[in-house]
Amino acid sequence: MTADAAIHVQGLEKSYKDLHVLKGVDFDVARGSIFALLGSNGAGKTTVVRILSTLLKPDAGIASIAGFDVTAQAQKVRETVSLTGQFAAVDEVLTGRENLILIAKLRHQKDPGGIADALLARFSLTDAGSRRVGTYSGGMRRRLDIAMSLIGSPSVIFLDEPTTGLDPAARNEVWDAVRELASGGTTVLLTTQYLEEAEQLANQIAILHKGTIIVDGTLAELKQLLPPAKVEYVEKQPSLEDVFFALTGEEDATEHETAGDPEKDAAATGKEGR
């Protein structure tokens, strides 16, 4: 474990009955960085996030957040992290500002109104703050959801496939919000199926395949794993998509974006450790 690691994972294993989802996962995430965990449906991404956020206990291995063990010091970890899932957890009847004030009060923060106003400004939602969230676009809801997750100043935030189902414009809005988080010193662990998302955002990228990390490094380091291809006598550098499919053997990205997720199906039926 490096001294500046915000997240440390070593030998992490997890099974749901006969389904062995994690088979010894290892990685470190530097403080203030954006770490993208890539993998197709069922690869184990969500299971990793659930373990790190103390929602699930590992069968074996070590995981710590800011030096706190996720099993032995679960309460300390919960005070350090925040989790944003695939669907925005906002109340559509309330206004954006009311959503933020509600969460601030639930987390016993001083000056909930001031916190709400500051977050609305930070995520470019001030003009929409007095509107009901039911009138918001998908990107606005996601930005509000991320803003709500920052109440209490967590040092680490987990974004589990945050742009699933969003159109390109809304996805760009969320990307800007994630960059804003990292620029403010927050460590971000992002799980995604969208390779472009990892290319655009991540300082470090790991590919989780069949329960293990098969590659971990910067975008430049991953691209060096494949030789450049020649297209009309000009060298074309490999993309992250080229690297992903070459290493995993997957051929059709759209198949994994639309198919069911066996990992989540197993988690729904095998809830041991929660």
Side-chain angles (χ1 to χ4, degrees):
M1 177 179 177
T2 58
D4 62 343
I7 303 172
H8 173 62
V9 175
Q10 182 178 347
L12 210 59
E13 297 185 20
K14 182 64 185 177
S15 296
Y16 301 105
K17 295 184 178 179
D18 296 331
L19 180 60
H20 202 177
V21 177
L22 304 181
K23 304 175 183 178
V25 172
D26 305 279
F27 62 82
D28 286 330
V29 180
R31 297 180 188 274
S33 68
I34 301 176
F35 177 90
L37 185 61
L38 294 179
S40 55
N41 279 341
K45 304 185 303 296
T46 296
T47 295
V48 170
V49 170
R50 286 174 174 164
I51 290 172
L52 292 178
S53 55
T54 76
L55 297 177
L56 199 63
K57 291 183 179 179
D59 297 332
I62 298 169
S64 62
I65 309 291
F68 300 118
D69 185 276
V70 299
T71 301
Q73 299 170 290
Q75 183 57 41
K76 288 290 187 181
V77 171
R78 293 185 193 112
E79 294 170 359
T80 304
V81 307
S82 186
L83 169 63
T84 298
Q86 291 187 27
F87 304 100
V90 295
D91 189 322
E92 296 188 358
V93 175
L94 300 178
T95 68
R97 188 172 188 273
E98 287 169 342
N99 268 277
L100 291 165
I101 289 175
L102 174 62
I103 298 301
K105 288 181 177 179
L106 289 173
R107 294 182 180 174
H108 307 290
Q109 299 294 302
K110 296 180 180 179
D111 190 17
I115 291 172
D117 291 337
L119 286 169
L120 288 171
R122 180 174 178 180
F123 288 92
S124 302
L125 290 169
T126 299
D127 291 342
S130 59
R131 286 168 41 198
R132 287 178 53 188
V133 173
T135 67
Y136 283 17
S137 67
M140 292 170 68
R141 292 186 193 197
R142 269 326 224 157
R143 279 153 48 205
L144 178 63
D145 193 29
I146 293 172
M148 289 165 61
S149 71
L150 290 181
I151 294 174
S153 302
S155 60
V156 177
I157 184 169
F158 301 115
L159 301 178
D160 190 16
E161 302 193 21
T163 61
T164 296
L166 297 184
D167 61 38
R171 189 173 299 171
N172 282 330
E173 291 180 9
V174 175
W175 288 357
D176 289 341
V178 174
R179 293 187 186 101
E180 172 70 17
L181 290 179
S183 67
T186 303
T187 303
V188 178
L189 189 152
L190 168 76
T191 73
T192 182
Q193 294 181 67
Y194 300 120
L195 304 179
E196 182 189 6
E197 191 157 87
E199 284 188 304
Q200 290 287 330
L201 296 175
N203 308 110
Q204 181 182 353
I205 300 168
I207 298 177
L208 182 62
H209 183 60
K210 295 183 178 179
T212 61
I213 299 291
I214 58 175
V215 67
D216 181 358
T218 65
L219 178 60
E221 289 170 343
L222 266 58
K223 287 184 175 183
Q224 289 176 2
L225 296 174
L226 297 183
K230 286 193 175 181
V231 181
E232 295 181 356
Y233 307 104
V234 177
E235 284 192 348
K236 174 182 177 292
Q237 294 300 315
S239 67
L240 180 57
E241 181 176 295
D242 296 328
V243 174
F244 181 86
F245 294 138
L247 293 176
T248 64
E250 306 287 0
E251 295 180 353
D252 186 357
T254 58
E255 174 186 347
H256 301 292
E257 291 174 7
T258 58
D261 189 334
E263 174 199 357
K264 291 179 181 176
D265 292 343
T269 56
K271 296 181 181 178
E272 63 272 27
R274 292 204 181 188

